[in-house]
Amino acid sequence: MRSVREALTASRRAPLLSALGIVTIAFSLFAFGLFGLVAINIRRALDQVEERVEVRAFLGDSVEIESVTAAMKDIGEFPEVSRVDYVTKEKALERARKEMGEFADVFEAGVLPASIEVHLRPGMRSPTIVKSVADRIKTYRFIDDVRYGEEWVEKLYRLRNIASVAGIALGVAFAAVAIIIIGATIRMTVLARAKEISIMRLVGATDMFIRLPFLLDGLVKGVLGGLLALLFVWVANRVINEYFLETIFFDRQLIFLGVVGGAVMGVLGSLFSVGRHLRRI
Amino acid sequence: MIRLTDVAKEYPRSGVALAHISFAVKKGEFVYLTGPSGSGKTTILRLLYMDDKPTQGEVWVNGVSSKTATGREISRLRRRLGIVFQDFRLLEDRTAEANIRFALEVTDAPKATIRSKVARVLTQVGLASKATSFPRELSGGEQQRVAIARALINDPFVLIADEPTGNLDERATRGVFQLLRDINSSGTAVIMATHDLDLVRRSNYRTIELNHGRVVFDSSESPASARPFEEPYEVRETPPDSTERI
Ligand SMILES: Nc1ncnc2c1ncn2[C@@H]1O[C@H](COP(=O)(O)OP(=O)(O)OP(=O)(O)O)[C@@H](O)[C@H]1O
Ligand SMILES: [Mg+2]
C-alpha cells in the first residue's frame, strides 16, 4: 500500500518525464506491434497461397504415355509430394478458357501443352523445398519446362522477413530509449529523496523495501505504455482495414504479451537506474 | 557484544584511515571515541553500523560479522541500533512525531504499537509537548532530541552517536549529554565520537583515543592518570566559556 502510494508520488514529482517514459514505451511496442501485424498478415497470406502451391511440369509433344505414368509414380513417392495429377491438352485449354473468360477465344486447340500437376504436402511449401522438388522433376528427359510461381512466393517471404527485422530493430531502439528515460525519471526521484532513503537505510529498512516503490512505478508506466501501444496499433489496423485491405488483428495471447513486454521494459528501466543510484547515496 | 579484531580500513584515494584497531565494547558500556579531526572516529562508527566493510580484520556486532553479513542481516541489525549524527538527519517536511514514527513505518513494525511507542520516547527525551512541531520550529538541541528519540524507538542495545553535540551550544550540549547518560543508565550501551574534551574529562566513562587511524589510548587498559590530555590537539567546537587550552 505504502509502495503504491510512493510510486505515484514519484511520478508526480516528474510528470513530464514520466509521461515521456510512458509514450516511448508505447512507441517501442507500437513499432513491434505494427510490424508484427504486417508479419502475421503476410503469414496468413502465405498460408493461403501455400495451399495452392504446386509445381507444374509441361510435357514435350512426343511423349509416350507409359514413361509419363512411370514418372508420375516416381514423383508421387517424393516425401514432399502429396498428389500428382495429369492434365491433358484438352483439359488445359478448357481451364485456360474458363480462367480468361472473355479472352477465351485467343486459345486454339493444341496450343497449350499437356502437363503434370504436383501438389505438395503442408509444411513442404517453402521456397527452398519447392525449388528442390522442381529441380528434381526437371531431370526427366521429356519435361520441357517447370513452373512453380517462384517469384511471388519468394517475394512474400522476403517481405515478411523485412517486416520482422525492421519491426524488431525499431522496437528495440525505442525500448532502449524507453529504458533510458524511465531510468532518468527514477534518477530524479532517487536524488530528490536521497535524504529520506539514507534515513530509511539507517533505521533498518531493507533494500527491497526501498526499491519496491520504484519498481512499481516502472511497472505501472510499462503497463500504461503497453495499453497505449495497443490503442495505437488497433487504430492503425482499423484505418488499414477501412481504406486498404482486409487484415487480421492480434489474438489475445499476443496482446497480453505486448502489455507484459511494456511492463518488463518499465521494470527493467527502474531496476537498472535504482540499483545504480541507490549505491551512491 | 561489539568486537573489532585487527581492523584496517583503506580508501582507494585517501589511503589508510584505520589500522590495527582492536577493542571490544561490553553490554551497557559508555564509550567516548576521541581524537583529532581525520583520525578515523567516523570511519569506526560506520564500520559498527556496517555502512562499510573493513579492508582487513573483522567487526562483530551483536552476532553479525562484517565478513559474512548479508544486506538483510545488516538491515535487521540496524533495527537494534540507534544512530545519531551531528546534523540530526530529520525530514524537514514531517513533524517530530512523524519523523520518529518513520523509523517504525519503514521496517514493518506492528501498527498497533506505533502510537504508544512514539509517545514514550518523546517523553523520554523531554519533548512530549513538541510532538507536532516541524524541525524548523525546534531549536538545535530539540532537533537532536527528536533524532535521539527516533534512535530509541526500537529499543536499541547500543546508541551510536557521531558528534551529536557538534552543532549545539553549551547549554544544549550539556542537555544532550545528560540525556545520553540517562539512556545509558537504563542499560543501553553508548558509543559516542566527540571533540568535546571538557565533557569527556568531567565524566568518568571509558575513553578510546585515536590518532592517524590508530588507537593511541584506551582508558580501560591504562590507569586514568596516563591520559595523554597534555598533548594539545585541534578542537573544532569550543564552548564560549571553555577553559580548554588550544
Ligand atoms: N568515504 C570516504 N572516502 C575516502 N576517504 C574517506 C572517506 N571517509 C573518510 N575518509 C578518510 O578517512 C580518514 C578518517 O576520516 P574520519 O571521517 O573517520 O575522521 P574523523 O575522526 O571522524 O574526523 P572528524 O573529527 O573531522 O569528523 C580521513 O583521512 C578521511 O579523509
Ligand atoms: Mg567524523
Side-chain angles (χ1 to χ4, degrees):
Chain A
M1 228 22 253
R2 172 207 72 105
S3 305
V4 175
R5 203 173 53 235
E6 300 215 334
L8 297 179
T9 333
S11 287
R12 227 182 298 143
R13 222 180 277 263
L16 228 66
L17 214 51
S18 296
L20 200 61
I22 294 171
V23 171
T24 29
I25 287 184
F27 276 171
S28 165
L29 291 169
F30 182 53
F32 279 126
L34 213 54
F35 288 96
L37 212 55
V38 172
I40 63 167
N41 278 288
I42 289 180
R43 168 84 247 162
R44 189 186 62 147
L46 279 172
D47 283 346
Q48 285 170 354
V49 166
E50 278 176 350
E51 277 163 27
R52 296 198 321 225
V53 166
E54 57 192 30
V55 180
R56 188 182 295 267
F58 295 100
L59 303 175
D61 264 340
S62 49
V63 196
E64 315 86 62
I65 194 72
E66 294 80 40
S67 39
V68 174
T69 321
M72 278 173 66
K73 194 159 170 291
D74 267 9
I75 294 166
E77 274 160 14
F78 287 2
E80 300 92 340
V81 172
S82 64
R83 206 174 81 230
V84 185
D85 294 330
Y86 182 72
V87 182
T88 60
K89 285 184 182 180
E90 293 72 37
K91 208 159 164 207
L93 182 67
E94 187 186 319
R95 218 192 259 176
R97 283 194 168 145
K98 202 191 279 170
E99 276 177 22
M100 297 315 242
E102 53 185 302
F103 303 109
D105 293 342
V106 301
F107 296 107
E108 282 169 36
V111 169
L112 292 174
S115 62
I116 51 179
E117 249 176 34
V118 181
H119 300 269
L120 299 175
R121 288 179 199 280
M124 295 290 183
R125 291 157 178 165
S126 78
T128 41
I129 294 176
V130 176
K131 187 167 185 312
S132 99
V133 172
D135 286 346
R136 261 175 286 160
I137 294 173
K138 259 184 217 160
T139 59
Y140 289 98
R141 192 176 31 78
F142 51 82
I143 301 288
D144 261 7
D145 192 12
V146 180
R147 297 267 175 80
Y148 53 93
E150 56 257 67
E151 300 98 44
W152 53 289
V153 170
E154 263 168 29
K155 259 183 208 153
L156 272 181
Y157 265 96
R158 215 176 306 137
L159 197 61
R160 191 184 67 168
N161 289 344
I162 290 171
S164 308
V165 169
I168 289 170
L170 223 75
V172 166
F174 272 117
V177 174
I179 286 174
I180 290 168
I181 291 178
I182 296 267
T185 332
I186 297 288
R187 187 186 124 90
M188 279 182 57
T189 341
V190 169
L191 294 184
R193 295 181 52 207
K195 189 174 179 187
E196 202 179 327
I197 291 170
S198 76
I199 294 171
M200 284 165 87
R201 283 213 172 131
L202 222 50
V203 299
T206 58
D207 243 28
M208 196 54 226
F209 184 88
I210 293 171
R211 280 168 195 227
L212 198 60
F214 294 105
L215 298 188
L216 276 179
D217 183 75
L219 182 76
V220 169
K221 281 177 185 160
V223 170
L224 286 178
L227 294 176
L228 194 61
L230 184 62
L231 182 72
F232 288 169
V233 179
W234 183 78
V235 168
N237 187 55
R238 284 307 302 266
V239 169
I240 294 170
N241 255 315
E242 192 83 10
Y243 299 103
F244 302 100
L245 45 114
E246 202 178 302
T247 57
I248 51 168
F249 197 59
F250 298 118
D251 56 20
R252 265 194 215 151
Q253 276 132 325
L254 278 174
I255 290 173
F256 183 70
L257 206 69
V259 177
V260 167
V264 167
M265 274 184 234
V267 172
L268 277 186
S270 302
L271 207 60
F272 286 149
S273 181
V274 99
R276 256 203 5 231
H277 298 294
L278 281 185
R279 228 173 294 142
R280 281 195 224 140
I281 289 178
Chain B
M1 185 188 69
I2 290 175
R3 177 179 298 280
L4 289 81
T5 50
D6 197 31
V7 164
K9 177 71 195 178
E10 200 171 326
Y11 288 108
R13 265 176 301 161
S14 47
V16 177
L18 294 175
H20 305 298
I21 304 278
S22 297
F23 66 86
V25 176
K26 290 200 273 298
K27 210 165 163 233
E29 204 171 2
F30 196 121
V31 182
Y32 285 121
L33 211 53
T34 65
S37 184
S39 56
K41 304 182 292 293
T42 298
T43 306
I44 286 190
L45 297 185
R46 285 185 54 221
L47 293 180
L48 291 185
Y49 60 85
M50 306 216 173
D51 191 32
D52 212 339
K53 291 190 179 216
T55 36
Q56 226 179 75
E58 189 170 11
V59 178
W60 281 92
V61 182
N62 212 29
V64 179
S65 157
S66 61
K67 280 186 177 163
T68 57
T70 62
R72 187 160 281 276
E73 276 171 347
I74 292 172
S75 298
R76 189 145 309 150
L77 171 67
R78 288 191 191 155
R79 294 176 197 184
R80 305 281 291 118
L81 303 176
I83 310 170
V84 177
F85 296 97
Q86 179 173 356
D87 59 1
F88 321 136
R89 310 232 176 145
L90 299 176
L91 295 169
E92 302 301 325
D93 58 348
R94 291 171 203 238
T95 62
E97 204 174 38
N99 264 287
I100 297 166
R101 211 174 336 119
F102 185 73
L104 292 176
E105 285 167 350
V106 300
T107 52
D108 297 326
K111 287 223 160 35
T113 55
I114 288 182
R115 191 177 266 277
S116 63
K117 277 185 174 170
V118 171
R120 191 198 47 158
V121 289
L122 267 171
T123 310
Q124 196 178 347
V125 300
L127 281 182
S129 61
K130 304 272 186 178
T132 56
S133 302
F134 286 91
R136 64 171 179 279
E137 298 165 340
L138 297 170
S139 73
E142 288 167 338
Q143 290 185 50
Q144 191 59 291
R145 284 165 186 271
V146 174
I148 292 171
R150 182 179 64 196
L152 292 176
I153 194 83
N154 276 315
D155 295 315
F157 62 88
V158 60
L159 194 72
I160 295 170
D162 194 351
E163 295 182 44
T165 60
N167 281 341
L168 305 181
D169 66 16
E170 201 219 345
R171 220 171 69 89
T173 295
R174 262 184 292 159
V176 165
F177 259 94
Q178 188 54 50
L179 177 58
L180 293 179
R181 273 187 215 115
D182 293 346
I183 290 165
N184 175 247
S185 62
S186 66
T188 308
V190 175
I191 301 175
M192 172 175 169
T194 182
H195 280 293
D196 200 331
L197 295 180
D198 205 29
L199 277 156
V200 172
R201 210 173 306 175
R202 260 189 266 150
S203 49
N204 232 343
Y205 294 124
R206 177 179 174 192
T207 305
I208 296 175
E209 191 187 327
L210 297 172
N211 204 347
H212 296 298
R214 286 164 193 268
V215 174
V216 294
F217 174 75
D218 184 342
S219 64
S220 72
E221 292 167 0
S222 328
S225 58
R227 286 180 172 190
F229 278 143
E230 287 69 38
E231 208 180 291
Y233 63 72
E234 182 197 336
V235 176
R236 217 167 39 198
E237 291 282 327
T238 310
D241 62 343
S242 171
T243 51
E244 183 73 42
R245 246 183 330 111
I246 301 183

